[in-house]
Amino acid sequence: MLANKKLLVLAGDGIGPEVMSQVVNVTEWMAKKRTVSFDVSQGLIGGACYDAHGCALTDETVADAMCVDAVMLGAVGGPQWDGVARENRPEAGLLRIRKELDLYANLRPAIAFDALLDASTLKTDIIKGLNIMILRELTGGVYFGEPRGTDVLPDGTRRGFDTQIYTDGEIERIARLGFEMAQKSRGRLTSVDKANVMESGVFWREIVNSLHKDYADVELSHMYADNCAMQMVRDPKQFDVIVTDNLFGDLLSDVAAMLTGSLGMLPSASLGEVDESGRRRALYEPVHGSAPDIAGQDMANPLATILSFAMCLRYSFDMMDDANLIEQAVQNVLNNGLRTGDIMSKGMDKVSTAVMGEAVISELEKMTG
Ligand code: IPM
Ligand code: MG
């Protein structure tokens, strides 16, 4: 039976549209060859939305996002919007959709593909076989904390400030997910904070510890965020699942990306609560940004976005076989020596975005015969 899944595609800015069009091709291939079809609608976000509507995300698009099964997002931002007021900056659109859909859990897996070991700046034995998950809290912390702003003191001193703030409920829901993910993985959870400096860090640690009794089979450890960044480049394979706050997760996931060779390889899933209809709000996006320097040149790596779509199949649609198939196709393409510029090494074939996307589809074809 053909199941129809509703997808909202928000391609965004820079390389977003180019990499996303490769995903749309994958959905079309699936509709032809697999037992699923997709009802794909498109919307604007980021600078593209600002240019059209004067804001980085419209209420209509938020409403559309609430009605679909999953959102696929490309990237937002670019230098042409540098002068725009903060509330209308492209990034504000991304932050708003995360908040409006209450996508509190951001899953950023960092997997080192054997074929790409050379592309990492780290030594092969440090990263070979790497498979870790960074679970980033996405709707709280200093990204959204109030008060925030700039003001002027009576003596004329100007200052800027943000607030790092977490409620017990916010910590509990992300920590529980971390424990559950560790249970399904290698049984180890590292909670990352700055409890040596921050009150909110002490509180974070207290809540995480209080939940451990419900997951006695998980080995829980705590690490300060600065040490974690260092350990991640020193010996990343010591980690299994890392759970951390919004800001530390932002930093650590960029570090994790480079372990795998390129930001151009890292997918992500942002998940919310399950609603009354049994559907979990979800948005999938590559971890890389809009890469304005190479935008529109058919040079960008579409694999992180294609892998994000595989995560969509896995987490939103429970289509494990299809998710595995796409991941295997990506792996085969890399094994065949195809490389976009960001993962290029000697002796490999440098290909365009479109050729990389087509190669994934032809691998899918081959595997499904
Ligand atoms: C990310 C990005 C965003 C963030 C930016 C674009 C707002 O860096 O998704 O990691 O800081 O969360
Ligand atoms: Mg980031």
Side-chain angles (χ1 to χ4, degrees), residues 76 91 94-95 98 108 136 138 143 246 250 253-254 285 287:
V76 297
E91 292 78 4
L94 180 58
L95 297 178
R98 288 173 179 172
R108 297 189 164 188
R136 167 187 179 191
L138 201 62
Y143 271 60
N246 205 341
D250 181 43
S253 59
D254 267 28
E285 57 174 321
V287 172

Side-chain angles (χ1 to χ4, degrees), residues 10-13 16-17 19-20 45 72-76 284-286 288-289 305:
L10 304 174
D13 308 320
V19 293
M20 196 56 80
I45 194 167
M72 286 292 310
L73 191 137
V76 297
Y284 300 86
E285 57 174 321
H288 64 68
T305 315

Side-chain angles (χ1 to χ4, degrees), residues 31-52:
K32 272 189 264 158
K33 298 293 171 77
R34 309 291 289 176
T35 53
V36 62
S37 75
F38 297 92
D39 194 348
V40 180
S41 55
Q42 308 261 352
L44 295 174
I45 194 167
C49 187
Y50 178 79
D51 289 347

